[in-house]
Amino acid sequence: MRQPAGRSARRSGGERKPREERWAELIEVATQVFYEKGYDGASLQDIADRLGMLKGSLYYYIQSKEDLLFDVISSVHKDGLAVIRARAGVEGPPLFRLRSVIVGHVEHTCRNLVPTAVFLHELSALPLERRVEVLGSEHAYQGVFRDLIESAQQAGDVRSDLDPRLAALSVLGSTNWVYRWFRPGGSFTPEQIGAELAELTIRGIATEQGLGTV
Amino acid sequence: MRQPAGRSARRSGGERKPREERWAELIEVATQVFYEKGYDGASLQDIADRLGMLKGSLYYYIQSKEDLLFDVISSVHKDGLAVIRARAGVEGPPLFRLRSVIVGHVEHTCRNLVPTAVFLHELSALPLERRVEVLGSEHAYQGVFRDLIESAQQAGDVRSDLDPRLAALSVLGSTNWVYRWFRPGGSFTPEQIGAELAELTIRGIATEQGLGTV
């Protein structure tokens, strides 16, 4: 996460809250406002109003509305990527790790519905340079899925006629889509959804040999 | 599609184009502006400017910006639904029809990337009543997929431990997601994508018996 502007400056106001807490609150409110009104429809005034701050005071933390969007988007992306990279990096057959990556990704999405929606809907509002900074030039997220599918294919665990890029995009679609329909307390828990989407994916791509590894 | 307001009134301006053509052009431009600026960030002034019209002249066709969004969204939804319903309604085993539905849905999405993005990103900007009017109270789109999967399950062609609702949401995610990554002239044609996503789905859900039907 980028440091808020002025983080090291002396506080001039009469606020009681530590700056880090104020910053976290600002990001949380900005996420909600971008979600409700869309990035273009949201103003710094809206965000200041909801925080009970003067709009001018926001410039103590940020230089522009775009800085807020960048932070919302890069935080949720970075956190999710850390989850799936950790699960992809353990010991074990690639399809076994792919199952764990899918479950972890679905659980992360279910726990972060609003920031995920802002990420997916508003990424294009960032200038190209900052988009690349978030995603990585190789689309890091997609790469984790594709690399596991490729490894499994090389081991004979995934059908040889399958294109690992298409398969990765299919899994990403199926799992990311959860942000649109998951409701806490609804018919399915994040764990159930993760397990079922992993099962569907693995049966879709695996050879007989591969099914024996998971 | 709703009739534009004033469609039956006498034309008062000096326009050369027939009203239907003007209306189609208005919807096309509105779709593009909503896509680029987001619904909340887009104004009727933006749309009028791009059409080379006075903003006031738009009220000859619509009563509000919301009317335009409703038309963009309901048109692409209605067209796509007609495509998949036609394919779901033919003769044949349910998994055979599901394959055709998936291919048709992917091709429709690839041919309608911009309206699909507006539909998926801006649906929530419509009041609940109009959202229900678009989707149907039972989420008609999802229902086509779920019904086919249920029929296949009853015939023993789909695993009995699978929840048809979850499976339908998984397919919808995998296929809808195409709107985010498909590029005309890129590595894959809509036909290739449709065929591969259908194959992944069917292998993911089918029994041995079911695989024999497709």
Side-chain angles (χ1 to χ4, degrees):
Chain A
M1 196 161 72
R2 294 165 63 253
Q3 297 293 307
R7 197 187 181 96
S8 61
R10 283 189 65 83
R11 290 162 69 193
S12 55
E15 307 151 13
R16 294 287 174 91
K17 293 182 183 170
R19 203 165 297 135
E20 287 71 16
E21 197 179 313
R22 245 345 205 173
W23 173 250
E25 204 179 347
L26 169 57
I27 293 298
E28 193 181 326
V29 166
T31 305
Q32 191 63 35
V33 172
F34 292 153
Y35 178 71
E36 290 170 17
K37 311 190 85 167
Y39 176 68
D40 284 302
S43 68
L44 287 180
Q45 188 66 59
D46 296 326
I47 293 167
D49 287 349
R50 207 165 299 189
L51 285 161
M53 288 168 72
L54 291 170
K55 180 179 160 192
S57 307
L58 288 178
Y59 293 107
Y60 183 66
Y61 299 91
I62 49 158
Q63 294 189 322
S64 66
K65 186 173 76 159
E66 189 190 294
D67 285 350
L68 280 178
L69 181 65
F70 179 81
D71 245 293
V72 169
I73 283 182
S74 58
S75 296
V76 69
H77 185 267
K78 202 185 63 174
D79 290 354
L81 192 56
V83 167
I84 65 170
R85 279 189 170 153
R87 287 167 174 253
V90 300
E91 289 287 310
L95 287 185
F96 173 83
R97 288 181 282 145
L98 179 63
R99 182 190 291 279
S100 168
V101 163
I102 292 172
V103 171
H105 177 48
V106 168
E107 289 178 5
H108 181 264
T109 302
C110 290
R111 281 197 307 273
N112 293 277
L113 293 175
V114 173
T116 298
V118 173
F119 168 67
L120 293 172
H121 290 187
E122 306 295 353
L123 180 66
S124 60
L126 287 177
L128 179 60
E129 195 183 284
R130 295 189 106 174
R131 255 180 282 163
V132 171
E133 195 179 336
V134 172
L135 296 179
S137 56
E138 283 284 340
H139 286 242
Y141 229 95
Q142 197 178 308
V144 172
F145 289 88
R146 197 195 48 227
D147 289 350
L148 285 171
I149 295 167
E150 273 175 0
S151 300
Q153 198 173 44
Q154 282 155 15
D157 294 344
V158 155
R159 289 186 280 124
S160 59
D161 61 333
L162 191 71
D163 188 307
R165 287 173 300 169
L166 259 183
L169 288 163
S170 174
V171 189
L172 264 181
S174 152
T175 51
N176 281 340
W177 201 247
V178 167
Y179 91 97
R180 293 189 76 92
W181 58 266
F182 173 71
R183 294 293 169 271
S187 305
F188 308 103
T189 65
E191 293 71 24
Q192 287 173 317
I193 298 167
E196 193 64 89
L197 296 187
E199 186 69 19
L200 289 167
T201 297
I202 286 168
R203 286 180 181 261
I205 65 176
T207 56
E208 279 297 320
Q209 172 190 309
L211 283 177
T213 69
V214 286
Chain B
M1 195 163 70
R2 296 163 63 253
Q3 296 293 307
R7 198 184 178 100
S8 61
R10 283 189 66 83
R11 289 163 67 193
S12 55
E15 307 151 13
R16 294 287 175 88
K17 294 183 182 169
R19 205 164 297 134
E20 287 72 14
E21 197 178 315
R22 234 5 195 163
W23 172 250
E25 203 179 347
L26 169 57
I27 292 298
E28 192 181 326
V29 165
T31 305
Q32 190 63 34
V33 172
F34 292 154
Y35 177 71
E36 289 171 17
K37 312 191 85 168
Y39 176 69
D40 283 304
S43 67
L44 287 180
Q45 188 66 59
D46 295 327
I47 293 167
D49 287 350
R50 208 166 296 188
L51 285 161
M53 287 169 74
L54 291 171
K55 180 180 158 192
S57 306
L58 288 179
Y59 294 107
Y60 184 67
Y61 298 92
I62 50 158
Q63 294 188 323
S64 65
K65 187 173 76 161
E66 189 189 296
D67 284 352
L68 280 178
L69 182 64
F70 179 82
D71 244 292
V72 169
I73 282 182
S74 60
S75 296
V76 69
H77 185 267
K78 202 185 63 175
D79 290 354
L81 192 57
V83 167
I84 65 170
R85 279 188 170 153
R87 287 168 175 251
V90 299
E91 289 286 311
L95 286 185
F96 173 84
R97 288 180 283 145
L98 180 63
R99 182 190 291 279
S100 167
V101 163
I102 291 172
V103 171
H105 176 48
V106 168
E107 289 178 4
H108 180 263
T109 303
C110 291
R111 280 196 308 273
N112 293 277
L113 293 175
V114 173
T116 298
V118 173
F119 169 67
L120 293 173
H121 291 187
E122 306 295 354
L123 179 65
S124 60
L126 287 178
L128 179 61
E129 194 183 286
R130 293 189 107 173
R131 256 179 282 162
V132 171
E133 194 178 337
V134 173
L135 296 179
S137 56
E138 285 283 339
H139 286 243
Y141 230 94
Q142 199 178 307
V144 172
F145 289 88
R146 197 194 47 227
D147 289 350
L148 285 171
I149 295 169
E150 273 176 0
S151 300
Q153 198 172 43
Q154 283 155 16
D157 293 344
V158 156
R159 290 185 280 124
S160 59
D161 61 333
L162 192 72
D163 188 306
R165 286 173 300 169
L166 259 181
L169 289 163
S170 174
V171 189
L172 265 180
S174 154
T175 51
N176 281 339
W177 201 247
V178 167
Y179 91 97
R180 293 190 76 92
W181 58 265
F182 174 72
R183 295 292 170 270
S187 305
F188 308 103
T189 65
E191 293 71 22
Q192 287 173 317
I193 298 167
E196 192 64 88
L197 296 188
E199 186 69 18
L200 288 167
T201 297
I202 285 166
R203 287 180 179 259
I205 65 176
T207 56
E208 278 299 320
Q209 173 190 309
L211 283 177
T213 69
V214 286

